[in-house]
Amino acid sequence: MAEFRVESREGGAIEVWTIDGEARRNAISRAMRAELERLIEEAQSKRELRAVVITGAGDKAFCAGADLKERAGMSEEEVRAFLLDLRRTFRALELSDKIFVAAINGAAYGGGTELALACDLRVIRRGAKMALTETRLAIIPGGGGTQRLPRLVGMAVAKDLILTGRAVDAEEAYRLGLVNRIAADDDVVGAAVALAAEVAEGGPIALAAAKAAIQQGMELGLDEALELEYQQYQRTLHTADRLEGLAAFREKRKPVYRGV
Ligand code: COA
């Protein structure tokens, strides 16, 4: 059975991937994780695709983290294997050339928040909540949460949220810098698609290069990071899209970028 519903929007420039597991609050099962990894891989080779919105089915949960029912029947070895697979899958979102927008439609708990953190941008519905609940389950965030959260919001806030395991509402998540936008109404997917469409107006190679410069540069010292920025700039230099951008400016029209 398909774990995601995939819809194409804006002539294929945007896809919406909906975790189709409402009855288990869109929790991450082994099958769901494997399908997510396959989707990320396939997305990389779709030239017309610029940005992907990831959301959950229903209005209760974006994703309730690891599938705890499945987990209960897993051996230690199986849990370890799942964790390694999950870590690789979340990293693939960051290493992809595509831009990922999380549309947080409901509770994002544990791995659900970690999935959102591995996306490039986050839009939340008023009423939705985010939490890294793991310490309350006597484990720690293992899908990158202890590393991505402090990089995003700073160590003090990360320690507060991870050590207490408490949930933040949309307003607090926005105030802390955990999300980029609060949707104006209940249509959080619409708001995320609008943000993705805004992103998709940029040159595709430029978007990938800017994402890589930011993502990888954060891990480096400033001199090395500036060198990385220079290298990523050069990915755009020889492109037809760069010339199209200049031509469109001169001719006072909207550019048409083709990702070449
Ligand atoms: N794994 C597997 N099943 C889950 C799940 C998870 N992580 N989270 C929820 N479910 C299941 C429940 O067991 C329940 O199944 P049932 O109908 O067979 O009893 C169903 O989803 C509905 O859950 P319920 O708690 O009644 O829904 P809710 O809308 O009131 O609350 C949550 C949703 C997400 C807030 C709540 O389910 C929750 O806190 N889940 C645990 C989240 C968590 O701590 N995850 C961290 C994992 S590391």
Side-chain angles (χ1 to χ4, degrees):
M1 200 184 82
E3 303 290 327
F4 283 83
R5 287 199 309 267
V6 174
E7 292 162 68
S8 184
R9 306 260 182 110
E10 312 275 331
I14 296 171
E15 284 185 0
V16 178
W17 299 353
T18 305
I19 309 167
D20 201 7
E22 192 176 352
R24 58 169 206 280
R25 298 299 183 260
N26 307 314
I28 308 170
S29 61
R30 281 185 279 205
M32 180 279 202
R33 194 234 30 100
E35 193 166 317
L36 177 60
E37 188 171 36
R38 185 178 58 72
L39 284 171
I40 298 167
E41 236 173 74
E42 284 174 9
Q44 184 67 10
S45 58
K46 291 184 183 169
R47 176 175 285 187
E48 71 289 357
L49 180 62
R50 309 284 204 263
V52 175
V53 170
I54 301 182
T55 194
D59 59 1
K60 295 281 194 303
F62 167 69
C63 168
D67 186 327
L68 297 175
K69 288 180 184 160
E70 187 181 71
R71 174 75 53 97
M74 281 160 71
S75 68
E76 242 177 67
E77 205 38 59
E78 286 171 327
V79 175
R80 192 173 290 121
F82 174 83
L83 193 64
L84 290 173
D85 288 344
L86 187 66
R87 294 162 68 85
R88 188 185 62 243
T89 304
F90 286 172
R91 187 68 177 141
L93 291 166
E94 291 175 332
L95 296 176
S96 168
D97 281 345
K98 308 304 176 189
I99 307 300
F100 290 91
V101 184
I104 304 165
N105 55 304
Y109 283 180
T113 280
E114 290 180 305
L115 169 61
L117 290 174
C119 290
D120 301 297
L121 296 162
R122 285 157 290 283
V123 182
I124 194 166
R125 184 173 71 82
R126 239 174 258 285
K129 290 202 162 123
M130 300 179 75
L132 287 174
T133 54
E134 284 87 345
T135 55
R136 293 184 182 205
L137 291 161
I139 52 173
I140 72 168
T146 65
Q147 301 310 307
R148 291 192 178 97
L149 188 63
R151 278 167 172 75
L152 191 66
V153 298
M155 193 192 283
V157 171
K159 281 187 176 168
D160 173 353
L161 299 186
I162 291 171
L163 299 181
T164 64
R166 73 185 177 87
V168 294
D169 61 18
E171 286 73 18
E172 186 176 4
Y174 180 71
R175 192 162 43 74
L176 296 175
L178 199 49
V179 298
N180 301 90
R181 307 262 198 287
I182 299 177
D185 54 32
D186 276 351
D187 184 13
V188 66
V189 172
V193 167
L195 178 57
E198 204 179 320
V199 166
E201 288 189 12
I205 295 170
L207 293 172
K211 169 171 169 172
I214 297 167
Q215 193 77 53
Q216 293 161 35
M218 286 291 285
E219 313 302 320
L220 302 173
L222 185 58
D223 282 325
E224 272 178 292
L226 289 171
E227 176 59 29
L228 174 73
E229 181 188 69
Y230 180 62
Q231 285 164 15
Q232 291 295 334
Y233 190 99
Q234 304 207 45
R235 285 175 70 184
T236 66
L237 260 184
H238 64 277
T239 62
D241 282 347
R242 186 179 73 86
L243 301 178
E244 164 65 6
L246 291 172
F249 175 74
R250 197 175 53 238
E251 293 157 22
K252 300 188 189 303
R253 61 172 173 80
K254 238 181 135 178
V256 181
Y257 294 129
R258 293 179 298 120
V260 289

